[in-house]
Amino acid sequence: MSEEKLMSKKKPAFPITKKLDGYLDRYNRKIEIPIFYDDLLRFSGSVVVYDNDGIDTLWVRVYYSDFDREEIDLSLKKVYSILHSDGSNRILDYLNVDAVDFCTFGNSKPFRIKIRNILNDNYTYFYVKKTDASRVYGLELEHMLSPYNLNFLVYKDTLIEEHIAGIPGDVFIKDMLPKCSKPEKAQLAKEFVKFNERCMIRLLGDMRSYNYVIVPVHDFDHVVYRIRAIDFDQQCFEGKFKVYLPQFFKENLNMVELVGKKLQEYSVDQYKIEERSIVAKRIISSGNRIKRLINCVKTDRISLPENVERLRNELHDFTMDLEFKKCNTMGQILFTALEFVKRNYQDVSMKEIIEKKF
């Protein structure tokens, strides 16, 4: 299936509702910051950023007038302190803004900020984006339902996200996957099955290879690979169910073929059940926090009516759960999907889940 047919050409940004704003305030995601996304758009010029092979990265390095640069640098260092430290000014003298990069590719058009500690030359990144409710829901769901915690801040129309370290999926597949050993390829196949399942359960779409990273973790005498999503723009937006399954994107074909070569069908089902069970446990252990988030998203408008209608019908056909037919919003579909997973974890045996293929 071609990308044009699978994905909508443009996803609109959705505003933060009063209800979601209250949720963010309650859980310390809403914090006043000294700079807005629009402030960074005041750059005077830019130069193209190339990778080590001389290929255009689709990022441009922007520069500002001397007057603006001083103010912007100070504000960005303060944002770093709020995001990664106690928010005080004590560390500002030891920080330097090495680069401000702008990406015109994709929906969010983010700024990538490189901050360096001048005492030891260690550096890190964070991102400045326009606030989008669906992206915020995606970040919160990743924080609660994935193995990874996320640090982000929202203030009015500006979203600050921490950098997620790892090897971009497309780079890994092209340059590193062919060099992996047989055991490493088998472990990567397992991780892709679990990642595929996790995205489907929480309705995170558009996980093409450049929207996730591969994270190598050294464990005793071998390397274990993990897969992490890095782009949350397509949380609960598309109407096509396949968009929420990374296996259907042509950019992931090598990973899908790896699963076919390295894993037997029963193993694939086993790993799906493992991931479903883990997500169900996280839903239960998240308690009131995820309940409050779901209460926000159930009444929010984060998609188009035609997308809601199509997805609820496709999920009903896939699960045969009549509750999907009653859904009128993407949030209600998400709630029903999570409840379906939780209910199956609590009430259905492994054999029955395998037979249902969900």
mmCIF file of all heavy atoms in Angstrom, residues 249-276:
data_model
loop_
_atom_site.group_PDB
_atom_site.id
_atom_site.type_symbol
_atom_site.label_atom_id
_atom_site.label_comp_id
_atom_site.label_asym_id
_atom_site.label_seq_id
_atom_site.Cartn_x
_atom_site.Cartn_y
_atom_site.Cartn_z
ATOM 1 N N PHE A 249 4.074 -0.002 6.962
ATOM 2 C CA PHE A 249 4.808 1.059 6.264
ATOM 3 C C PHE A 249 5.981 0.460 5.503
ATOM 4 O O PHE A 249 6.741 -0.346 6.052
ATOM 5 C CB PHE A 249 5.298 2.117 7.259
ATOM 6 C CG PHE A 249 4.200 2.978 7.798
ATOM 7 C CD1 PHE A 249 3.650 2.714 9.050
ATOM 8 C CD2 PHE A 249 3.701 4.040 7.067
ATOM 9 C CE1 PHE A 249 2.627 3.500 9.548
ATOM 10 C CE2 PHE A 249 2.680 4.829 7.555
ATOM 11 C CZ PHE A 249 2.132 4.565 8.791
ATOM 12 N N LYS A 250 6.119 0.873 4.262
ATOM 13 C CA LYS A 250 7.169 0.299 3.414
ATOM 14 C C LYS A 250 8.560 0.565 3.987
ATOM 15 O O LYS A 250 9.491 -0.218 3.756
ATOM 16 C CB LYS A 250 7.070 0.849 1.989
ATOM 17 C CG LYS A 250 7.355 2.334 1.826
ATOM 18 C CD LYS A 250 7.234 2.738 0.354
ATOM 19 C CE LYS A 250 7.671 4.187 0.121
ATOM 20 N NZ LYS A 250 6.800 5.149 0.806
ATOM 21 N N GLU A 251 8.715 1.655 4.752
ATOM 22 C CA GLU A 251 10.007 1.958 5.362
ATOM 23 C C GLU A 251 10.430 0.894 6.386
ATOM 24 O O GLU A 251 11.606 0.807 6.738
ATOM 25 C CB GLU A 251 9.965 3.324 6.048
ATOM 26 C CG GLU A 251 9.856 4.503 5.098
ATOM 27 C CD GLU A 251 8.408 4.827 4.719
ATOM 28 O OE1 GLU A 251 7.507 4.034 5.094
ATOM 29 O OE2 GLU A 251 8.185 5.851 4.062
ATOM 30 N N ASN A 252 9.463 0.104 6.865
ATOM 31 C CA ASN A 252 9.748 -0.931 7.862
ATOM 32 C C ASN A 252 9.800 -2.333 7.263
ATOM 33 O O ASN A 252 9.815 -3.322 8.004
ATOM 34 C CB ASN A 252 8.688 -0.894 8.970
ATOM 35 C CG ASN A 252 8.704 0.407 9.748
ATOM 36 O OD1 ASN A 252 9.758 0.997 9.953
ATOM 37 N ND2 ASN A 252 7.541 0.860 10.174
ATOM 38 N N LEU A 253 9.852 -2.416 5.938
ATOM 39 C CA LEU A 253 9.789 -3.720 5.274
ATOM 40 C C LEU A 253 10.911 -4.648 5.735
ATOM 41 O O LEU A 253 10.683 -5.840 5.964
ATOM 42 C CB LEU A 253 9.858 -3.536 3.753
ATOM 43 C CG LEU A 253 9.820 -4.822 2.915
ATOM 44 C CD1 LEU A 253 8.527 -5.591 3.178
ATOM 45 C CD2 LEU A 253 9.950 -4.499 1.418
ATOM 46 N N ASN A 254 12.113 -4.114 5.903
ATOM 47 C CA ASN A 254 13.234 -4.956 6.343
ATOM 48 C C ASN A 254 12.987 -5.542 7.729
ATOM 49 O O ASN A 254 13.374 -6.685 8.014
ATOM 50 C CB ASN A 254 14.534 -4.144 6.354
ATOM 51 C CG ASN A 254 15.043 -3.843 4.962
ATOM 52 O OD1 ASN A 254 14.605 -4.447 3.992
ATOM 53 N ND2 ASN A 254 15.965 -2.912 4.849
ATOM 54 N N MET A 255 12.363 -4.767 8.603
ATOM 55 C CA MET A 255 12.057 -5.265 9.949
ATOM 56 C C MET A 255 10.968 -6.342 9.887
ATOM 57 O O MET A 255 11.026 -7.341 10.618
ATOM 58 C CB MET A 255 11.626 -4.112 10.846
ATOM 59 C CG MET A 255 12.687 -3.043 11.043
ATOM 60 S SD MET A 255 14.154 -3.649 11.901
ATOM 61 C CE MET A 255 13.568 -3.642 13.593
ATOM 62 N N VAL A 256 9.985 -6.142 9.028
ATOM 63 C CA VAL A 256 8.909 -7.135 8.872
ATOM 64 C C VAL A 256 9.481 -8.440 8.324
ATOM 65 O O VAL A 256 9.128 -9.541 8.795
ATOM 66 C CB VAL A 256 7.812 -6.585 7.938
ATOM 67 C CG1 VAL A 256 6.762 -7.655 7.657
ATOM 68 C CG2 VAL A 256 7.149 -5.358 8.555
ATOM 69 N N GLU A 257 10.367 -8.329 7.344
ATOM 70 C CA GLU A 257 10.999 -9.524 6.790
ATOM 71 C C GLU A 257 11.846 -10.235 7.839
ATOM 72 O O GLU A 257 11.915 -11.467 7.874
ATOM 73 C CB GLU A 257 11.860 -9.140 5.580
ATOM 74 C CG GLU A 257 11.036 -8.703 4.367
ATOM 75 C CD GLU A 257 11.888 -8.231 3.216
ATOM 76 O OE1 GLU A 257 13.092 -7.962 3.429
ATOM 77 O OE2 GLU A 257 11.364 -8.139 2.088
ATOM 78 N N LEU A 258 12.470 -9.451 8.717
ATOM 79 C CA LEU A 258 13.276 -10.023 9.804
ATOM 80 C C LEU A 258 12.402 -10.862 10.733
ATOM 81 O O LEU A 258 12.798 -11.949 11.156
ATOM 82 C CB LEU A 258 13.951 -8.889 10.581
ATOM 83 C CG LEU A 258 15.130 -9.250 11.485
ATOM 84 C CD1 LEU A 258 16.297 -9.753 10.654
ATOM 85 C CD2 LEU A 258 15.555 -8.031 12.296
ATOM 86 N N VAL A 259 11.216 -10.355 11.041
ATOM 87 C CA VAL A 259 10.282 -11.104 11.888
ATOM 88 C C VAL A 259 9.915 -12.422 11.227
ATOM 89 O O VAL A 259 9.899 -13.478 11.869
ATOM 90 C CB VAL A 259 9.017 -10.259 12.170
ATOM 91 C CG1 VAL A 259 7.957 -11.100 12.882
ATOM 92 C CG2 VAL A 259 9.361 -9.036 13.005
ATOM 93 N N GLY A 260 9.626 -12.368 9.902
ATOM 94 C CA GLY A 260 9.264 -13.579 9.180
ATOM 95 C C GLY A 260 10.370 -14.624 9.148
ATOM 96 O O GLY A 260 10.112 -15.836 9.199
ATOM 97 N N LYS A 261 11.616 -14.160 9.098
ATOM 98 C CA LYS A 261 12.757 -15.083 9.008
ATOM 99 C C LYS A 261 13.173 -15.639 10.367
ATOM 100 O O LYS A 261 13.629 -16.787 10.463
ATOM 101 C CB LYS A 261 13.952 -14.366 8.374
ATOM 102 C CG LYS A 261 13.780 -14.036 6.897
ATOM 103 C CD LYS A 261 14.969 -13.223 6.395
ATOM 104 C CE LYS A 261 14.791 -12.817 4.942
ATOM 105 N NZ LYS A 261 15.913 -11.953 4.469
ATOM 106 N N LYS A 262 13.052 -14.835 11.407
ATOM 107 C CA LYS A 262 13.632 -15.192 12.701
ATOM 108 C C LYS A 262 12.638 -15.744 13.719
ATOM 109 O O LYS A 262 13.044 -16.368 14.696
ATOM 110 C CB LYS A 262 14.324 -13.961 13.313
ATOM 111 C CG LYS A 262 15.505 -13.449 12.491
ATOM 112 C CD LYS A 262 16.622 -14.488 12.434
ATOM 113 C CE LYS A 262 17.806 -14.014 11.629
ATOM 114 N NZ LYS A 262 18.878 -15.029 11.558
ATOM 115 N N LEU A 263 11.349 -15.498 13.530
ATOM 116 C CA LEU A 263 10.374 -15.895 14.546
ATOM 117 C C LEU A 263 9.315 -16.824 13.966
ATOM 118 O O LEU A 263 8.806 -16.592 12.873
ATOM 119 C CB LEU A 263 9.690 -14.658 15.139
ATOM 120 C CG LEU A 263 10.576 -13.611 15.802
ATOM 121 C CD1 LEU A 263 9.721 -12.469 16.328
ATOM 122 C CD2 LEU A 263 11.410 -14.210 16.929
ATOM 123 N N GLN A 264 8.986 -17.865 14.714
ATOM 124 C CA GLN A 264 7.869 -18.717 14.344
ATOM 125 C C GLN A 264 6.560 -18.022 14.724
ATOM 126 O O GLN A 264 6.526 -17.138 15.575
ATOM 127 C CB GLN A 264 7.975 -20.062 15.055
ATOM 128 C CG GLN A 264 9.209 -20.868 14.670
ATOM 129 C CD GLN A 264 9.307 -22.180 15.429
ATOM 130 O OE1 GLN A 264 8.536 -22.424 16.366
ATOM 131 N NE2 GLN A 264 10.247 -23.032 15.036
ATOM 132 N N GLU A 265 5.470 -18.453 14.113
ATOM 133 C CA GLU A 265 4.178 -17.801 14.338
ATOM 134 C C GLU A 265 3.783 -17.835 15.809
ATOM 135 O O GLU A 265 3.282 -16.848 16.347
ATOM 136 C CB GLU A 265 3.085 -18.468 13.494
ATOM 137 C CG GLU A 265 1.737 -17.773 13.609
ATOM 138 C CD GLU A 265 0.673 -18.402 12.726
ATOM 139 O OE1 GLU A 265 0.998 -19.328 11.968
ATOM 140 O OE2 GLU A 265 -0.492 -17.949 12.813
ATOM 141 N N TYR A 266 4.046 -18.962 16.477
ATOM 142 C CA TYR A 266 3.676 -19.051 17.889
ATOM 143 C C TYR A 266 4.480 -18.052 18.717
ATOM 144 O O TYR A 266 3.956 -17.454 19.664
ATOM 145 C CB TYR A 266 3.886 -20.474 18.423
ATOM 146 C CG TYR A 266 3.418 -20.620 19.849
ATOM 147 C CD1 TYR A 266 2.073 -20.861 20.140
ATOM 148 C CD2 TYR A 266 4.303 -20.481 20.910
ATOM 149 C CE1 TYR A 266 1.626 -20.976 21.439
ATOM 150 C CE2 TYR A 266 3.872 -20.593 22.224
ATOM 151 C CZ TYR A 266 2.535 -20.842 22.486
ATOM 152 O OH TYR A 266 2.101 -20.934 23.776
ATOM 153 N N SER A 267 5.758 -17.860 18.366
ATOM 154 C CA SER A 267 6.593 -16.893 19.091
ATOM 155 C C SER A 267 6.056 -15.479 18.906
ATOM 156 O O SER A 267 6.050 -14.676 19.850
ATOM 157 C CB SER A 267 8.043 -16.974 18.609
ATOM 158 O OG SER A 267 8.626 -18.210 18.948
ATOM 159 N N VAL A 268 5.630 -15.158 17.688
ATOM 160 C CA VAL A 268 5.057 -13.839 17.428
ATOM 161 C C VAL A 268 3.834 -13.623 18.307
ATOM 162 O O VAL A 268 3.676 -12.572 18.946
ATOM 163 C CB VAL A 268 4.686 -13.680 15.934
ATOM 164 C CG1 VAL A 268 3.899 -12.388 15.710
ATOM 165 C CG2 VAL A 268 5.947 -13.686 15.068
ATOM 166 N N ASP A 269 2.944 -14.628 18.362
ATOM 167 C CA ASP A 269 1.755 -14.530 19.216
ATOM 168 C C ASP A 269 2.137 -14.386 20.689
ATOM 169 O O ASP A 269 1.528 -13.624 21.437
ATOM 170 C CB ASP A 269 0.859 -15.764 19.027
ATOM 171 C CG ASP A 269 0.179 -15.783 17.676
ATOM 172 O OD1 ASP A 269 -0.069 -14.690 17.129
ATOM 173 O OD2 ASP A 269 -0.083 -16.882 17.155
ATOM 174 N N GLN A 270 3.164 -15.119 21.094
ATOM 175 C CA GLN A 270 3.617 -15.052 22.493
ATOM 176 C C GLN A 270 4.083 -13.634 22.843
ATOM 177 O O GLN A 270 3.722 -13.092 23.899
ATOM 178 C CB GLN A 270 4.767 -16.028 22.715
ATOM 179 C CG GLN A 270 5.403 -15.924 24.105
ATOM 180 C CD GLN A 270 6.747 -16.614 24.165
ATOM 181 O OE1 GLN A 270 7.052 -17.478 23.343
ATOM 182 N NE2 GLN A 270 7.570 -16.216 25.127
ATOM 183 N N TYR A 271 4.877 -13.024 21.950
ATOM 184 C CA TYR A 271 5.392 -11.680 22.221
ATOM 185 C C TYR A 271 4.281 -10.640 22.200
ATOM 186 O O TYR A 271 4.321 -9.655 22.946
ATOM 187 C CB TYR A 271 6.490 -11.326 21.223
ATOM 188 C CG TYR A 271 7.717 -12.198 21.341
ATOM 189 C CD1 TYR A 271 8.395 -12.651 20.204
ATOM 190 C CD2 TYR A 271 8.197 -12.592 22.588
ATOM 191 C CE1 TYR A 271 9.518 -13.459 20.319
ATOM 192 C CE2 TYR A 271 9.309 -13.413 22.708
ATOM 193 C CZ TYR A 271 9.971 -13.839 21.566
ATOM 194 O OH TYR A 271 11.077 -14.639 21.679
ATOM 195 N N LYS A 272 3.282 -10.843 21.359
ATOM 196 C CA LYS A 272 2.127 -9.945 21.359
ATOM 197 C C LYS A 272 1.394 -10.003 22.695
ATOM 198 O O LYS A 272 1.014 -8.978 23.261
ATOM 199 C CB LYS A 272 1.160 -10.327 20.227
ATOM 200 C CG LYS A 272 1.638 -9.968 18.828
ATOM 201 C CD LYS A 272 0.589 -10.369 17.808
ATOM 202 C CE LYS A 272 1.010 -9.978 16.401
ATOM 203 N NZ LYS A 272 -0.024 -10.347 15.397
ATOM 204 N N ILE A 273 1.215 -11.227 23.187
ATOM 205 C CA ILE A 273 0.524 -11.399 24.464
ATOM 206 C C ILE A 273 1.334 -10.781 25.593
ATOM 207 O O ILE A 273 0.781 -10.120 26.488
ATOM 208 C CB ILE A 273 0.276 -12.900 24.738
ATOM 209 C CG1 ILE A 273 -0.728 -13.456 23.725
ATOM 210 C CG2 ILE A 273 -0.244 -13.113 26.161
ATOM 211 C CD1 ILE A 273 -0.762 -14.959 23.670
ATOM 212 N N GLU A 274 2.649 -10.978 25.568
ATOM 213 C CA GLU A 274 3.511 -10.379 26.585
ATOM 214 C C GLU A 274 3.339 -8.865 26.616
ATOM 215 O O GLU A 274 3.188 -8.262 27.684
ATOM 216 C CB GLU A 274 4.976 -10.727 26.301
ATOM 217 C CG GLU A 274 5.355 -12.158 26.620
ATOM 218 C CD GLU A 274 6.822 -12.420 26.321
ATOM 219 O OE1 GLU A 274 7.573 -11.463 26.037
ATOM 220 O OE2 GLU A 274 7.225 -13.606 26.376
ATOM 221 N N GLU A 275 3.380 -8.242 25.435
ATOM 222 C CA GLU A 275 3.278 -6.782 25.379
ATOM 223 C C GLU A 275 1.896 -6.319 25.816
ATOM 224 O O GLU A 275 1.756 -5.325 26.536
ATOM 225 C CB GLU A 275 3.584 -6.281 23.966
ATOM 226 C CG GLU A 275 3.771 -4.774 23.868
ATOM 227 C CD GLU A 275 4.938 -4.267 24.704
ATOM 228 O OE1 GLU A 275 5.909 -5.024 24.924
ATOM 229 O OE2 GLU A 275 4.866 -3.104 25.159
ATOM 230 N N ARG A 276 0.872 -7.046 25.390
ATOM 231 C CA ARG A 276 -0.492 -6.692 25.790
ATOM 232 C C ARG A 276 -0.663 -6.771 27.305
ATOM 233 O O ARG A 276 -1.287 -5.906 27.914
ATOM 234 C CB ARG A 276 -1.470 -7.673 25.126
ATOM 235 C CG ARG A 276 -2.666 -7.021 24.489
ATOM 236 C CD ARG A 276 -3.379 -7.973 23.597
ATOM 237 N NE ARG A 276 -2.616 -8.216 22.392
ATOM 238 C CZ ARG A 276 -2.727 -9.314 21.646
ATOM 239 N NH1 ARG A 276 -3.557 -10.268 22.023
ATOM 240 N NH2 ARG A 276 -2.022 -9.453 20.554
#
